[in-house]
Amino acid sequence: MAEELALLVADVFEAAGALRRAGEALAGAEGQTQARWQLMSVVSEESLPVARAARRLGVARQGVQRIANELVRDGLAEFRDNPDHRTSSLLALTPSGRRALEAITARAEGAHRAMGEGIAQADLATLRALLRRLTEQTDQWAAAEAEAGTAAEAGGAKRGTRSRAATDRLPE
């Protein structure tokens, strides 16, 4: 089981790399980067503070802030007042930003059709469900490891050692 999961992890990383390269090409054809495309997509349905957009993307706030500033500089986004928090502006797409996002999305739809050719929709749905389950279980494991590490540090355990509880949760 552990060996198959390790191979799956390697396959997922390889697929992620291929998809990132494809995403860069798709965004680049419209004069954007994949990072800009992802941020525009995240704020396309609702304006968000940069910190919340970063959490949704799973990346550091500082990097997202830099990209947000670039989008604003280029007229693709704007900062708006946040009625819930005076010091945390909302990032929103401008009409130019929406047009840029629509162009990339249209290009991506064609690419997705080509990439998915010959793969049954039911297989894609099953794969998505399994990946979501693996992601959830991985997040749960990481949270338990972090909790066990915090408890061990508080108890004076040596750095680099695992608690018995953490070791019991390791996959076989």
Side-chain angles (χ1 to χ4, degrees):
M1 167 87 142
E3 186 175 330
E4 274 304 309
L5 188 55
L7 292 171
L8 174 63
V9 168
D11 290 344
V12 167
F13 283 143
E14 186 175 354
L19 291 168
R20 251 191 309 282
R21 290 187 298 277
E24 281 296 343
L26 290 166
E30 298 297 333
Q32 302 301 321
T33 65
Q34 182 171 351
R36 289 167 63 111
W37 175 18
Q38 289 173 340
L39 183 54
M40 287 190 291
S41 182
V42 164
V43 299
S44 66
E45 292 190 25
E46 69 173 317
S47 303
L48 294 173
V50 168
R52 190 170 329 146
R55 281 192 301 274
R56 288 200 46 202
L57 290 168
V59 296
R61 183 200 56 77
Q62 294 85 348
V64 174
Q65 184 68 60
R66 181 185 56 77
I67 295 165
N69 292 343
E70 291 173 4
L71 291 172
V72 169
R73 180 197 67 212
D74 295 344
L76 299 173
E78 63 187 5
F79 289 114
R80 296 181 180 162
D81 289 338
N82 183 345
D84 296 328
H85 199 281
R86 286 190 327 225
T87 61
S88 181
S89 299
L90 299 172
L91 183 65
L93 290 183
T94 62
S96 294
R98 289 201 179 281
R99 285 191 297 277
L101 179 59
E102 288 167 4
I104 298 168
T105 301
R107 190 176 290 275
E109 286 173 2
H112 292 159
R113 279 192 293 280
M115 289 177 207
E117 185 139 342
I119 302 173
Q121 190 165 348
D123 289 344
L124 289 172
T126 299
L127 179 57
R128 287 186 63 225
L130 286 170
L131 283 173
R132 284 192 306 270
R133 182 175 170 197
L134 178 60
T135 299
E136 182 178 307
Q137 287 180 203
T138 301
D139 286 344
Q140 289 171 356
W141 175 85
E145 282 290 298
E147 186 177 308
T150 301
E153 286 178 18
K158 290 182 183 174
R159 191 172 264 253
T161 61
R162 292 181 187 257
S163 70
R164 172 87 176 133
T167 306
D168 289 343
R169 287 190 303 280
L170 291 176
E172 294 180 0

